[in-house]
Amino acid sequence: ADGSSGVSILKGAVSVSKQNGLDALLKADYAAAERAFTAALTENRNDPEALIYLNNAKIGDSLSHAVALIVPGVGDETKRGTSQELMRGAAQAQTEINAVGGINGTSLQVLIVDDQDDPEIAKAIATSLAMDTDVLGVIGHFSSGTTLETTEIYEAEGLTLISPTSTSVDISRAGDYIFRTVPSDRLAASALADYALDTLDTSQAAIFYNTDSNYSNSLKAEFETEFVSSGGAIVEGFDIQDANFRAASALQTARGQGAEVIMLALSLDPVDPLLQILASGQNSLPMLGSDSLYKSRLLSLAGANSLGLTVSAPWDILSHEQSEFVQESRQLWGADVNWRTAMVYDAVVALAAGIEADPTREGVASALAAPDFQVEGATSPVRFLPRTGDRNQPFQLVEVVPGNRSGSGYDFVPVN
């Protein structure tokens, strides 16, 4: 599962060079692996998995500090893309750390593990990582529901977990070894509620949510609290899992109840109800959403129906174009990165700072939890809130406008 198994997690067309590298790693022939992965990256530089394996091959049998990156696999186009986004952040951070001699002179090894974003597989992986005493920290899991299924295991074994993408408020209460570099739904909901009330000057909202998703339920509850406590009213809620759910009639009902703004507490899984809501809305009421909708895939699937959609994002590249992190990432991949890449980068540098302070599991957790802990992340300092381990950083808002950056004819740009 960590690249020494001779199989790429990013299954599909694996180049000859890359397969040669995987085979060489399996045989612990690190010099051959290094040559092969170098060749693979010459053919396709935008392969973060190959870069991580190249970095690991360079370490070979030498002493190293190990962290694990858990990705949601390649179950579909979205998961494959997400796995690569996460790997890019880890690959960039690992490359930079090892280029300056590692952590106190010891290189950083990154193990890549695929849990398919499946809670049962994730629990088995968490258990095996907890038992592997070489692993000093874990970056993952992808969705809030999967993360919450594993936190007890990490907590019991005293292994630090940093989630770069799980935003559910339930994670704030998960324990002393659980941190995250993405801010929680509470901060996303607060940004969206303020925008609806102050900028859009709306006070009546309808919410679309998915009762089967921890992320959706968390975001819905937080938005309701923030919106109502600031003087707004929730006029209607629609569960896309309801057998009788129809997007067009739901929107008609919402308008009939006086809704002035629509909150989409949804992700792209399942994608069809979301696309139907956007199509039926025909941009007639302003629509808001959270970071889960901040994907180029949404723009290509929804097209013009996504125009005007405003979402909260933990990070947006257009606000940081001059930063060293963005310059370096463009040089590495020949492409733009998104917030998921930045949050994984931040998780790796935070773990590295913890390991630098004290390379034991207990030492890493203590370092991150210290009130004065701070390390320079992709574009802002990484700091964790006391008791919750949550990232202390606000969300920003981006909206969909016509544009050519994403290749779909539509782009997310920062809201002025």
Side-chain angles (χ1 to χ4, degrees), residues 27-56:
K27 296 189 215 127
D29 184 347
Y30 299 115
E34 201 178 321
R35 285 194 301 272
F37 288 125
T38 302
L41 284 160
T42 309
E43 295 157 20
N44 173 22
R45 67 169 162 168
N46 196 351
D47 181 357
E49 186 184 36
L51 182 54
I52 290 170
Y53 292 157
L54 171 62
N55 291 336
N56 291 347

Side-chain angles (χ1 to χ4, degrees), residues 216-236:
S216 179
N217 292 327
S218 164
L219 186 59
K220 171 181 181 279
E222 293 303 314
F223 181 81
E224 286 173 345
T225 302
E226 295 286 342
F227 195 68
V228 173
S229 65
S230 298
I234 307 295
V235 296
E236 194 71 64

Side-chain angles (χ1 to χ4, degrees), residues 1-11 14 19 22-23 26 49 53:
D2 62 3
S4 54
S5 62
V7 179
S8 164
I9 283 168
L10 298 170
K11 300 174 189 66
V14 175
Q19 190 56 56
L22 293 163
D23 295 341
L26 190 57
E49 186 184 36
Y53 292 157

